[in-house]
């Protein structure tokens, strides 16, 4: 991948190696296979990523449980690969009694902007729904430090050239507490490839890419929510706010599937050149799917919006959006007919757009942690 801004800057995007050895340049002592112990695996996983090039998660002995999000700082040239249906799951999750208490308090009808107050632990919260949600959970659990808000899987900070492949990441359920994502790229993380992964029930989001991260690709991944999720089913964010620095966040989403329970941010994008290629949208609960916003350039082509998906595109302040004729939607967009704005968005790599009519079949069959025999 060549830099858009510096022609002399290129990157060998290969990850840490491959599963079949021997291979030139990567010795077998740089490969580790992990299996579940049935206990908290956080420390063991972080240690493996620090000390090995290829980390294989073997799901044959059960799920990998992690007590809180794992911070990968400054790591380069790694491959994290799942086999035997490997799942990484948060230890904490939203239980029915929490949902029942939140419903009894009327949280779903509360404001998600404005209101709020000071929690019993001294934290100030500026949104009514979040304030009441967090205080109710403090009252029920006695957790004044709100450690549950760190229930995520990977926080990838300032890393480069990492492959995440064939992994299922399962969160605690979405809830409006300003908590952790299942996976976050921050701090200038770049040249990473997330392929054939399944993201489910992230607390704050399923997978956010922010903080000047750049040249990252998300392919053949699925995003969804189950009944465990309560509010804030906002799955993917590119750019944390309108204050995000420009010149970064170049991102590709190809052959991904936004499925059951997804409501917003598929993705919502601020800054960056975003390529939405041959993705599939089937969530009938969606209130907004693709949402380009300030300082973004977005090329949308070959995507398929399933019957019942009626609110699938709006833009607000994007520099430019190219909505190609190759997109197909079974319903009219209730947010207005999609139109291109600004100059035509071009992408600095070669690719072929698959016919949108083929997208539902191939994505349903192959997206997510579906790889076997690797």
């Amino acid at each position: 991948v060549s830099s858009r801004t510096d022609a002399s800057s290129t990157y060998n995007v290969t990850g840490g190696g491959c599963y079949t050895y021997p291979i030139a340049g990567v010795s077998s002592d740089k490969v580790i296979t992990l299996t579940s112990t049935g206990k908290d695996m956080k420390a063991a996983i972080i240690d493996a990523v620090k000390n090995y090039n290829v980390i294989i998660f073997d799901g044959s002995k059960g799920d990998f449980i992690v007590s809180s999000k794992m911070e990968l700082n400054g790591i380069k040239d790694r491959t994290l690969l799942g086999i035997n249906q490997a799942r990484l799951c948060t230890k904490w999750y939203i239980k029915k009694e929490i949902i029942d208490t939140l419903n009894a308090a009327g949280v779903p009808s509360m404001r998600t902007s404005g209101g709020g107050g000071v929690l019993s632990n001294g934290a100030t919260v500026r949104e009514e729904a979040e304030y009441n949600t967090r205080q109710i959970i403090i009252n029920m659990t006695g957790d004044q430090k709100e450690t549950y808000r760190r229930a995520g899987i990977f926080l990838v900070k300032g890393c480069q050239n990492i492959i995440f492949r064939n992994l299922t990441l399962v969160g605690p359920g979405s809830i409006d507490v300003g908590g952790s994502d299942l996976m976050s790229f921050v701090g200038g993380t770049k040249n990473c490839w997330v392929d054939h992964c399944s993201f489910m029930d992230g607390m704050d989001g399923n997978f956010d890419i922010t903080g000047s991260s750049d040249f990252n690709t998300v392919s053949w991944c699925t995003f969804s929510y189950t009944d465990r999720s309560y509010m804030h089913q906002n799955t993917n964010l590119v750019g944390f706010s309108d204050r995000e620095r420009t010149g970064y966040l170049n991102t590709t989403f190809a052959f991904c599937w936004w499925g059951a329970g997804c409501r917003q941010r598929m993705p919502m994008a601020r800054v960056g050149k975003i390529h939405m290629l041959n993705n599939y949208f089937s969530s009938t609960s969606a209130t907004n799917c693709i949402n380009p916003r300030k300082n973004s350039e977005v090329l949308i082509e070959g995507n398929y919006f399933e019957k019942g998906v009626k609110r699938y595109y709006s833009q607000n302040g994007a520099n430019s959006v190219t909505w190609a004729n190759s997109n197909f939607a079974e319903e009219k967009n209730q947010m207005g007919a999609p139109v291109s704005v600004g100059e035509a968005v071009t992408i600095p790599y070669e690719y072929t757009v698959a016919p949108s009519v083929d997208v539902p079949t191939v994505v349903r069959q192959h997206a997510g942690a579906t790889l076997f025999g690797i």
Side-chain angles (χ1 to χ4, degrees), residues 302-316:
N303 300 281
Y304 194 103
F305 301 89
E306 187 63 78
K307 183 175 178 60
V309 182
K310 301 178 181 180
R311 300 172 63 86
Y312 49 82
Y313 171 78
S314 71
Q315 75 85 19
N316 182 14

Side-chain angles (χ1 to χ4, degrees), residues 92-96 99 102-103 170-176 182 199-206 224-235 260-263:
W92 189 87
Y93 62 94
I94 302 171
K95 297 181 179 179
K96 184 178 183 300
I99 292 177
L102 294 173
N103 284 336
V170 181
S174 62
I175 193 166
D176 190 5
L182 272 179
F199 296 81
M200 182 187 303
D201 286 331
M203 177 181 284
D204 188 62
N206 277 322
S224 63
Y225 295 91
T226 68
D227 291 342
R228 178 184 287 185
S229 289
Y230 182 69
M231 293 177 67
H232 203 78
Q233 292 93 330
N234 300 343
T235 177
C262 295
R263 293 184 63 82

Side-chain angles (χ1 to χ4, degrees), residues 193-194 199 207 209 216-221 223 251-254 256:
W193 181 30
V194 182
F199 296 81
F207 180 15
I209 301 173
N216 296 299
T217 295
V218 186
S219 59
W220 297 101
C221 289
F223 305 96
T251 309
T252 299
F253 289 92
C256 292

Side-chain angles (χ1 to χ4, degrees), residues 11 43 112 115 144 151 187 203 209 215 224 237 304 309 314 322 343:
Y11 305 97
T112 56
Q144 291 289 336
M203 177 181 284
I209 301 173
F215 294 110
S224 63
L237 186 65
Y304 194 103
V309 182
S314 71
T322 298
E343 297 182 359

